[in-house]
Amino acid sequence: MNSAVIAIHGGAGTITRAAMDPQREREYTEALEHVLREGQRVLAAGGSALDAVTEAVRLLEDCPLFNAGKGAVLTHAGTYELDASVMDGATLNAGAITCVKRVRNPVLAARAVLEHSEHVLFAAEGAEAFAAAQGLELVEPEYYFTQARHDQWQRARATAGMALLDHDAAALAAQAQAQGNGTDPIDPDRKFGTVGAVACDAQGNVAAATSTGGVTNKQVGRVGDTPVFGAGCYADDVAAVSATGTGEMFIRTVAAFDVSAQMRYAGLSLEEAARRVVMEKLPAINGRGGLIAVDRAGNVTLPFNTEGMYRGIARVGEPVNVWIYG
Ligand code: ASP
């Protein structure tokens, strides 16, 4: 049987009463299903895990529902700074970009770094110049704009002087509800909307990709876990992992690498290794969020320590499965 499989996430967070809005829920479900089917198509055609995760994350970046590419969150200065990474487990090749303001699809820039550079991580203007030299599309900042993210940023600025995830979000959430802004199934003020994909192809090779606008109201220049290999993205000859959540804690626990390391050095299963990271190691330092992971046998696990995480799995030849809540 073909073990080829792709899993994706579109961020984790707290579920609100507005979770009961079936229309909104359907939008998210359909978006996730569409992306999964496209990833599945790549794998079914014999495509590599690397190609499948790149394509899935590109589509998630183009979807304004998620905090990556179009629909990204804003910095404290009201600007956009995007991060993305991609890693190939078969070769340990990796590419990432951070703090880009004009690249339409950050994951394609990350992929270009992986394929066409001797380096692994480019930042800011240098990353944009690299992307442009590779023929990738650059956009004006308005391209990323969505009213929902703009409103969310204004609420964060009004009630917090620092990055959204660094303060008690309860007041913000209440305010958002009062203003009628809580229509996402997962409260947008308490959601870590990074997107990501992991896949195992027919050869048993695995890959991971992650992309984000970061956290709302973040300080200009702040870099989270997404472009940091081993933290928000990792793939080797054991497993591939993509994470979403409070990035600083994922960096401090080297969360994505730790899943693979526990399997390799302690002989844990994929599921148990991921569970320990998400349910024990991250909460020990107040880390919130989740991850998706796949191993070379095609096992998949999608743990999170928040109330919900947009997520789904598609195996080649089988129907796609999508979930939002716990
Ligand atoms: N992990 C991301 C960051 O810290 C945020 C997210 O997952 O939404 O930049």
Side-chain angles (χ1 to χ4, degrees), residues 192-194 214-215 222 224-226 244-245 247:
F192 316 122
T194 292
V215 291
R222 176 265 188 190
D225 60 317
T226 298
T244 174

Side-chain angles (χ1 to χ4, degrees), residues 222-228 230-232 246-255 282 285:
R222 176 265 188 190
V223 179
D225 60 317
T226 298
V228 177
T246 46
E248 284 71 7
M249 287 69 165
F250 283 72
I251 294 174
R252 290 163 59 198
T253 55
V254 201
L282 282 163
I285 57 167

Side-chain angles (χ1 to χ4, degrees), residues 210-235:
T210 313
S211 180
T212 191
V215 291
T216 298
N217 203 31
K218 67 185 180 183
Q219 261 186 272
V220 169
R222 176 265 188 190
V223 179
D225 60 317
T226 298
V228 177
F229 291 106
C233 182
Y234 188 70

